[in-house]
């Protein structure tokens, strides 16, 4: 994969092109101004790095204490971890559209709420804190991350599902994901299989959608749901396409030459990439939550993968061109969606009808 680098011909010798303050004006400003700007950026990076060193161990340690606790506390706390991390990095998040699905939990499955699989494009390790802040879910990651010294432990405590993409483990990994959805979790998938440079959305691998096209099974009562196995209970999940683009840097629109500030791909080292990012003052990520897709309305997983890719790719292309983002329509049965996703007038009508139904049911009794 080729990494595009900016033209550094206009930068001065005392202003390294890797530094965030370097620009076309660096040749005009005095050398002392460039040096001062570089020192300020480095001090900012050191302060943020110190905040990360304090926040990550404390928050992840508390998350480990919540793992045996039943309910959705660990899901809610994970979102807090990612949200604070984004603030430390100076990353603002703009959201377009409405999220499908709630925090989840076993109680949500008992009341008939369908699980949701969020499908997003993948550019960087930053995608995880950004999407983790917005989406109550767990991530599906490649098995190599589980062996990383620090990130592997953090991912395990964060209940990440690791997949190896080997034929002899496909069935077991698929059963684990189905089991997690049946127990109340939503999932985040990156079907590109790898991160990109942000200039395009790579084709989606249809194998990632096998879990979404699993046979639809009948809902069980509360007692059966407690002891259900991945193969005999559950509901077909909804698919929500998600377009993610980093579109601002220091309050200015992000051009293609500056995308490597956020994008982490190919053989780029993680340490230098994080250090460079920490020196920038602010950044912004825009997330477009498109309307959901119902796998039952598609003839095959390839057709589902293509429809999802089209929504994600078109949304990301619009954001990269700095055009007004729009939510692309989906294919779904409105009766299967959570009431929070429906328009306000539909919600009010539904609430009135539910009250009338409860009233007549009590009279009948």
């Amino acid at each position: 994969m080729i990494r595009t680098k900016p033209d550094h011909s206009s930068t001065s010798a005392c202003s390294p092109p890797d530094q965030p303050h370097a620009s076309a004006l660096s040749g005009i400003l005095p050398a002392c101004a460039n040096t001062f700007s570089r020192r300020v950026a480095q001090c900012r990076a050191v302060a943020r790095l110190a905040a990360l060193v304090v926040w990550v161990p404390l928050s992840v340690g508390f998350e480990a204490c919540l793992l045996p606790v039943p309910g959705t506390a660990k899901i809610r706390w994970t979102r807090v971890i990612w949200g604070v991390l984004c603030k430390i990095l100076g990353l603002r998040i703009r959201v377009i559209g409405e999220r499908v699905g709630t925090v989840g939990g076993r109680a949500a499955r008992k009341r008939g709420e369908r699980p949701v699989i969020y499908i997003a494009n993948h550019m960087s390790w930053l995608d995880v804190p950004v999407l983790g802040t917005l989406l109550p879910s767990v991530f599906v990651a490649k098995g190599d991350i589980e062996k990383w010294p620090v990130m592997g432990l953090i991912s395990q405590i964060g209940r990440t599902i690791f997949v190896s993409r080997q034929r002899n483990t496909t069935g077991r990994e698929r059963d684990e994901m189905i089991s997690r959805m049946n127990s109340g979790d939503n999932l985040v998938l990156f079907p590109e299989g790898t991160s990109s440079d942000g200039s395009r959305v790579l084709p989606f691998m249809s194998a990632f959608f096998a879990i979404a096209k699993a046979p639809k099974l009948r809902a069980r009562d509360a007692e059966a749901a407690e002891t259900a196995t991945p193969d005999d209970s559950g509901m077909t999940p909804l698919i929500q396409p998600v377009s993610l683009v980093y579109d601002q840097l220091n309050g200015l629109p992000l051009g293609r030459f500056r995308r490597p500030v956020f994008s982490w791909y190919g053989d780029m080292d993680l340490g230098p990439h994080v250090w460079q990012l920490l020196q920038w003052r602010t950044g912004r990520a825009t997330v477009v939550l498109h309307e959901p897709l119902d796998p039952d309305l598609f003839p095959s997983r390839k057709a589902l993968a293509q429809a999802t890719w089209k929504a994600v790719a078109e949304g990301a292309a619009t954001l990269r061109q700095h055009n007004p983002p729009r939510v692309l329509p989906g294919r779904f049965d409105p009766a299967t969606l959570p009431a929070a996703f429906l328009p306000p007038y539909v919600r009010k009508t539904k609430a009135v009808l539910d009250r009338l139904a409860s009233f007549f049911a009590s009279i009948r009794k």
Side-chain angles (χ1 to χ4, degrees):
M1 186 175 298
I2 300 176
R3 180 183 176 186
T4 304
K5 293 186 177 180
D7 183 10
H8 304 313
S9 58
S10 62
T11 59
S12 62
C14 66
S15 182
D18 297 28
Q19 300 300 330
H21 61 274
S23 65
L25 297 177
S26 60
I28 302 176
L29 295 176
C32 59
N34 291 329
T35 303
F36 176 76
S37 177
R38 182 167 63 251
R39 293 291 181 264
V40 170
Q42 291 174 351
C43 291
R44 182 187 299 117
V46 171
R48 287 176 172 174
L49 191 60
L52 291 175
V53 171
V54 174
W55 170 249
V56 172
L58 291 177
S59 59
V60 173
F62 186 67
E63 172 83 3
C65 297
L66 291 177
L67 289 180
V69 178
T72 60
K74 50 183 171 290
I75 302 176
R76 299 177 188 274
W77 177 247
T78 303
R79 297 180 65 190
V80 174
I81 295 176
W82 296 130
V84 174
L85 186 61
C86 288
K87 290 185 179 297
I88 293 175
L89 296 174
L91 191 62
R92 296 182 295 110
I93 304 175
R94 179 177 63 151
V95 183
I96 310 297
E98 301 224 7
R99 186 193 75 207
V100 180
T102 61
V103 176
R106 193 174 293 275
R109 297 297 176 263
K110 291 178 182 177
R111 62 175 178 261
E113 181 181 304
R114 297 174 65 175
V116 182
I117 302 178
Y118 304 100
I119 302 294
N121 54 310
H122 191 27
M123 292 169 288
S124 171
W125 58 272
L126 278 171
D127 302 345
V128 175
V130 170
L131 297 178
T133 302
L134 302 177
L135 308 176
S137 56
V138 297
F139 289 87
V140 178
K142 58 184 180 181
D144 298 342
I145 298 178
E146 188 176 10
K147 302 177 183 178
W148 291 7
V150 179
M151 291 299 298
L153 178 61
I154 295 176
S155 300
Q156 292 178 24
I157 296 176
R159 305 185 305 120
T160 300
I161 301 175
F162 298 100
V163 294
S164 61
R165 304 177 199 165
Q166 297 178 358
R167 291 184 179 274
N168 57 345
T169 61
T170 300
R172 175 176 54 81
E173 293 165 352
R174 175 177 172 272
D175 289 347
E176 180 183 359
M177 287 187 280
I178 294 176
S179 177
R180 293 286 285 273
M181 288 193 295
N182 289 342
S183 62
D185 283 327
N186 301 316
L187 305 182
V188 176
L189 290 178
F190 300 114
E192 292 173 282
T194 185
S195 56
S196 68
D197 60 359
S199 61
R200 65 198 184 284
V201 178
L202 302 177
F204 286 174
M205 300 179 182
S206 61
F208 282 87
F209 293 83
I211 181 176
K213 289 297 291 181
K216 186 174 181 179
L217 303 160
R218 68 181 185 276
R220 304 297 182 104
D221 55 26
E223 292 77 16
E226 292 289 341
T227 59
T229 64
D231 294 323
D232 63 9
S233 87
M235 295 166 283
T236 304
L238 288 168
I239 300 292
Q240 183 164 31
V242 179
S243 299
L244 168 61
V245 170
Y246 302 94
D247 56 357
Q248 279 192 9
L249 190 62
N250 282 0
L252 299 176
L254 187 72
R256 64 186 182 92
F257 290 135
R258 287 300 187 190
R259 284 186 191 136
V261 173
F262 297 103
S263 300
W264 184 60
Y265 58 95
D267 57 354
M268 297 172 65
D269 294 327
L270 180 60
H273 187 266
V274 174
W275 177 252
Q276 180 189 16
L277 176 68
L278 294 177
Q279 296 182 60
W280 291 91
R281 188 172 65 255
T282 59
R284 189 182 75 175
T286 297
V287 179
V288 180
L289 302 171
H290 302 287
E291 289 188 356
L293 305 173
D294 191 340
D296 290 338
L297 302 181
F298 290 85
S300 65
R301 69 185 188 191
K302 289 186 177 180
L304 177 61
Q306 182 62 27
T308 309
W309 176 87
K310 182 179 180 182
V312 174
E314 289 185 7
T318 301
L319 293 174
R320 284 194 303 269
Q321 297 164 8
H322 304 289
N323 293 326
R326 64 188 183 93
V327 177
L328 297 180
R331 291 172 58 185
F332 57 89
D333 180 4
T336 65
L337 295 180
F341 182 78
L342 300 174
Y345 67 91
V346 177
R347 270 182 271 173
K348 293 179 181 178
T349 304
K350 185 176 183 299
V352 172
L353 294 177
D354 289 342
R355 293 195 191 98
L356 289 175
S358 301
F359 174 74
F360 286 117
S362 62
I363 292 178
R364 190 177 300 111
K365 285 185 178 180

